[in-house]
Amino acid sequence: MPETGIGAALLRKEDKRFITGKGKYVDDINRPGQAYAYIVRSPEAHASIAGIDASEALKAPGVVAVLTGADMAEDGVGGLPAGWGILFQDGSPMIEPAHPPMVVDRVRHVGDQVAVVIAETKAQAKEAAGLVDVDYQPLPAIAGLSQACAEGAALVWDEAPGNICYDWGLGDEAATDAAFEGAAHVVTLDLVNNRLIPNAIEPRAAIGDYDATDDSYTLYTTSQNPHVIRLLMGAFVLGLPEHKLRIVAPDVGGGFGSKIFHYAEEAIMTWASKRLERPVKWTAERSESFMSDAHGRDHITHAELALDADGKFVGLRVNTAANLGAYISTFGAAVPTWLYATLFSGCYTTPAIFANVKAYFTNTVPVDAYRGAGRPEAAFVLERLVHKAAVQLGMDPVELRKNNFIQPDQFPYQTPVALEYDVGDYDGTFDAALELADYSGFGARREEAATRGKLRGIGISTFVEACGIAPSAVAGQLGARAGLFEVGHVRVHPTGSITVFTGSHSHGQGHETTFAQLVSDRLGVPEDQVEIVHGDTAQVAFGMGTYGSRSLAVGGSAIYMAMEKIIAKGTIIAAHLMEAAVEDVVFDKGNFTVAGTDKTKALGEVAFAAYVPHNYPEDLEPGLDETAFYDPKNFTFPAGAHIVEVEIDPDTGVVDLCGVSCADDVGRIINPMIVDGQMHGGLAQGIGQALLESCIYDDSGQLITGSYMNYTMPRAADLPFFKTGHHITNCTHNPLGVKGVGEVGSIGVPPAIINAIVDALSSAGVEHIDMPATPERVWRALQDAQA
Amino acid sequence: MKWSSAALSTVLVLGACGGEQGDPTGPGVPADGPQTLPALVEQLPGSRNHSPDGTWWGHNMREVVRRGNFVFTYVIENDDDPTTPSTFRVYKKEGDGSWIAGAGFETTRPGTDGGLGCSATLTFTEHPPTLTTPRDEPCRLFARFHPLSGSLSMPTVSLTVNGQAVEGEVEGRTLLVDFIRETLGLTGTHVGCDTSQCGACVVHVGGASVKSCTMLAVEADGADVTTVEGLATNGTLHPMQTAFHEHHGLQCGFCTPGMMLSGIDLVGRNANPSEHEVREWLEGNLCRCTGYHNIVKAVQAAAAEMGG
């Protein structure tokens, strides 16, 4: 393993501030003269507002203002925009209701923003918020998908009959139906993908800071993508020109998707700061986060797999009801459609696929991307079906998968669901996982466990995911309302050190280290002389942020392209300095050399010449500072095989994770230590979904799991050490060959766990279990099967 | 007479046994005079404490600054006879640091509360006040301070943080974590939840890991607190900090300070913790980024380095 550059397990440069308590998260920031905001939130799932009486609150000590949606509307504040438009199957646009940052006359979920109290201290604002008297007139609430789809259900939005936002389809329905007609076997499964709450440990926060001296605004926010917030809030909500709006996303304590979206509180604080002409600071309390951060997943699916007599997949048909929540969140419409159904080929050559997704409004918190964003839902459907097919057909689950894998010589592979995969070696990846898991030894381990009265099972998940979003033209055709390029700006200083301004954002991914490794590898400058700047739109001109495992694939490629421009210009300068022809000069590891000679100039010397151009090419501009915008040619397609072994105590239903073994093809690995760390984090969240976590609303739309008291976050004792290995095929269409790793763990492992549990319980006649497979559920499944 | 609203005085309230009614210098008073608050707090941490010579009893001793008119409510617990009043003395600290005994303290006693003790509402009628009871009994004194009108009671806390003596005025309800973050500006300690689960707020109080969100600042009066900022000594990182760095035990860094402080407490009690012991110990620390894999390795590596 190298010690520097690409492939090195370099320790992280950013650690220093975090381990000494010098990280700068939004709540650590204080602006002179700031006031504090507390949001009045609806305790009702669905109600009209007959009136808001703030008179008592305004008298409370320290209160500066109480502002409402009516005040915002009066100021012409716009609604929070949806960033992706989805069409009905007949081509008509999705139903897109208004989404004001604070409601005017109707609340549509517990936690919906009703008013903001601003006071001199946080405690005063919170106390006064309790004095704001809101007259709620309750309306019938749609608490979840089954209520939303019910015949004659009440409406969340009058303009959305049947509570449907869109009814969308992908694939060839006729061909798929035909495939099912002629199929030797049909495997059917009804599944729930349980609703989750991302729960990054840092709660969201925002500080709006208006500067009257030049009529400019700064927003400090816990965001994964400050430029996206600048675009959405500036253009659509507050009507501010971009050059007057600076967004700073400093250190952010985890995002996992939940900090992508433009949230109401960002707009409220920015707007309020202008109104009061002083900074306004808001930090969520955790139970407030539970009812205001976007939630994840929440699908009900009926899926069918058609196979021929030899066990080849001939058709896949999926019907999904997806919960969008009360409003369409920034990417909420795209997650159960283009980020979901396009993955239904998985690793397999299934020729005919059709997916229908109906997205519903409910009186719950909006649902949007959460680690995996659509791909965990797809992998879960596919791999549960494949497991059931193996059981139903009496076929070996390893052989069944391998017989259906896309073969290496079939790439680039055009799937029936829009995506074209560039490269993969699914057999190689699978074999690596089988070895890591000691799959062949499982039988003996099962027998041994049985002697102790325990039920042991093993479960497989082989999957492909799509990330590195996205080619802008394709995304635009599919309804995206923004481009998805990334920007890399590489500045070589006269002294030879380098600053990279990237539109990517690190909230745990270690970009300050890995991006420096890219630079040191290509330009030969040691990592400690490369500074990565991100998160501040005043320093980084453009960008689209970090989500969908795109930072290296798209952000890294942009940096690579900017470095190519640096090298090209440096070559001209070096040739001039060495009095050689440009075409004779070669750049490698920090030096420009005249080929075949020992005449050489270091990058630092060339940089100095560029800024002190005394001996310099005549028609060349001074400076060594280049920007590249990289628009990806395609998504990237990491693939993996996850194998989980469980041991279940039938008396208690407790599932013991004996082995979590993963082999993943993440494309070229820049820093293996960081890649493994990303795998661990994704696996932990996938295990959380499969065994522990569930966001529950009661029938009246009250959020029952309202805090860490009853939403089960994975703890250290819930998880084992993970076995992670790799089997790499480099991406063919970006200059680095990188695919992405951030979401692979949360995508691949849930079906492997459930398959393992079903395998363990199969001898008792259990065929399926829903997530989370808590001890109670496992125990009940056993009881019910034996009854 | 009421407290002069212009008189800012420091009042030390002690419970005492012995002494005669109205006699502020009775046999219960230590020969060298009533001790100053910091010394008493050191001797009297927590509740139900007594001074080394056994003559003074007290609870929730505080140096308080009073402004304006106010009423003290004391809950007085007698071990035996709750109907008999107890002896108290109130002392005032002069500007030069000396203490003078008070006099003229009036009390009304509404009666017993069922055997364990009774509560008394005490109104200071003159400054400084003295409250005495005739009974020569050990008793416990709980003080709750209610402002009569307007002025908020603002206790001052004095404690040691990362080796430095600090002092600050806080509200009674101020959490220790907020005192650390807002008053002291030490933002390395984080708030991640509101139900005491996440552990991002863990600090050391008296060497033991404590969730600073579940402790009032006033409870830390006189305590010795260590936060993440106090782990390195003279620029040299603590082995736990080094281990987290070397084993990639952090990603976003938000849980990290609390996680490290928890880990240090574990290693202090168990020099060579097993994987299982580390995982069980960290039940009170949530991480969403790392899956705990490298955190466990880091804690075990730190333990080995720290001499396990």
Side-chain angles (χ1 to χ4, degrees), chain A residues 359-376:
Chain A
Y360 290 88
F361 292 111
T362 61
N363 292 113
T364 63
V365 171
V367 177
D368 206 325
Y370 166 52
R371 199 162 197 166
R375 291 98 74 209

Side-chain angles (χ1 to χ4, degrees), chain A residues 201-363:
Chain A
I201 308 297
E202 180 209 22
R204 286 189 300 118
I207 307 174
D209 191 355
Y210 171 71
D211 184 349
T213 56
D214 66 352
D215 194 32
S216 71
Y217 301 74
T218 302
L219 170 69
Y220 300 87
T221 176
T222 51
S223 178
Q224 302 177 210
N225 35 249
H227 298 87
V228 172
I229 305 305
R230 183 178 68 179
L231 170 65
L232 296 180
M233 189 172 78
F236 296 98
V237 185
L238 297 182
L240 303 174
E242 288 198 357
H243 69 283
K244 286 294 193 186
L245 178 54
R246 174 187 178 201
I247 314 288
V248 179
D251 290 323
V252 172
F256 318 112
S258 68
K259 292 176 179 168
I260 294 171
F261 322 116
H262 175 39
Y263 282 100
E265 296 84 5
E266 291 171 326
I268 295 168
M269 299 311 136
T270 309
W271 167 77
S273 166
K274 161 81 190 275
R275 234 172 119 117
L276 304 178
E277 292 211 355
R278 61 191 288 197
V280 181
K281 179 173 178 176
W282 166 81
T283 304
E285 299 174 313
R286 179 55 57 181
S287 41
E288 183 182 8
S289 296
F290 267 71
M291 61 174 77
S292 63
D293 290 356
H295 293 177
R297 316 282 191 264
D298 204 346
H299 289 190
I300 296 177
T301 296
H302 177 79
E304 305 162 286
L305 180 65
L307 302 94
D308 71 14
D310 299 322
K312 277 290 240 199
F313 306 156
V314 297
L316 175 69
R317 195 155 54 195
V318 181
N319 282 285
T320 291
N323 192 343
L324 290 186
Y327 303 94
I328 304 174
S329 173
T330 311
F331 288 114
V335 172
T337 52
W338 296 112
L339 300 183
Y340 168 60
T342 51
L343 275 310
F344 278 143
S345 272
C347 304
Y348 310 118
T349 52
T350 317
I353 299 177
F354 182 70
N356 170 242
V357 178
K358 294 184 178 62
Y360 290 88
F361 292 111
T362 61
N363 292 113

Side-chain angles (χ1 to χ4, degrees), chain A residues 103-184:
Chain A
V103 306
V104 177
D105 52 15
R106 199 136 108 158
V107 292
R108 287 184 164 84
H109 65 83
V110 167
D112 211 348
Q113 297 81 234
V114 174
V116 61
V117 176
I118 300 168
E120 298 295 342
T121 74
K122 201 160 152 184
Q124 288 171 334
K126 183 172 179 178
E127 279 188 339
L131 298 173
V132 175
D133 188 5
V134 184
D135 185 0
Y136 296 105
Q137 311 272 304
L139 295 165
I142 297 296
L145 279 171
S146 43
Q147 283 186 18
C149 338
E151 193 70 30
L155 293 183
V156 177
W157 292 99
D158 294 337
E159 62 258 52
N163 291 311
I164 288 188
C165 175
Y166 56 76
D167 179 337
W168 175 88
L170 179 68
D172 188 333
E173 190 170 13
T176 305
D177 287 343
F180 273 82
E181 295 285 316

Side-chain angles (χ1 to χ4, degrees), chain A residues 11-16 18-23 25 27-28 30 36 121 123-124 127 197-203 251-254 256 281 285-288 370-371 507-510 673-674 676-678 680-682 684-685 688 693 707-709 711 713-723, chain B residues 171 173 178 181-182 185-200 228-232 237-238 240-257 259-260 275-276 278-297 300:
Chain A
L11 298 183
R12 298 195 332 168
K13 297 170 78 185
E14 48 265 82
D15 281 355
K16 183 168 175 207
F18 297 129
I19 59 178
T20 54
K22 300 284 184 226
Y25 303 89
D27 191 59
D28 301 338
N30 293 300
Y36 295 81
T121 74
Q124 288 171 334
E127 279 188 339
I197 301 181
N199 271 321
I201 308 297
E202 180 209 22
D251 290 323
V252 172
F256 318 112
K281 179 173 178 176
E285 299 174 313
R286 179 55 57 181
S287 41
E288 183 182 8
Y370 166 52
R371 199 162 197 166
H507 32 280
Q509 295 90 334
M673 176 189 83
I674 290 194
D676 281 345
Q678 289 297 308
H680 300 161
Q685 290 181 19
E693 299 178 43
S707 75
Y708 286 159
M709 289 290 285
Y711 184 88
M713 296 282 284
R715 287 166 168 80
D718 296 316
L719 303 172
F721 283 131
F722 307 109
K723 289 200 207 132
Chain B
E171 295 182 29
R173 62 178 168 179
D178 292 331
R181 287 180 58 77
E182 312 293 334
L186 296 170
T187 56
T189 304
H190 300 141
V191 175
C193 77
D194 50 10
T195 49
S196 200
Q197 256 86 32
C198 80
V228 60
E229 291 90 341
L231 288 182
L237 293 176
H238 189 286
M240 188 63 70
Q241 291 171 302
T242 304
F244 267 71
H245 175 57
E246 290 181 349
H247 293 271
H248 188 35
L250 63 147
Q251 292 182 23
C252 82
F254 198 77
C255 77
T256 307
M259 198 67 79
M260 293 190 300
E275 176 201 342
H276 179 73
V278 175
R279 291 185 183 279
E280 289 288 325
W281 179 267
L282 293 178
E283 188 262 349
N285 290 85
L286 297 180
C287 173
R288 205 45 159 160
C289 290
T290 68
Y292 306 99
H293 184 116
N294 287 340
I295 288 176
V296 173
K297 293 202 182 284
Q300 290 188 301

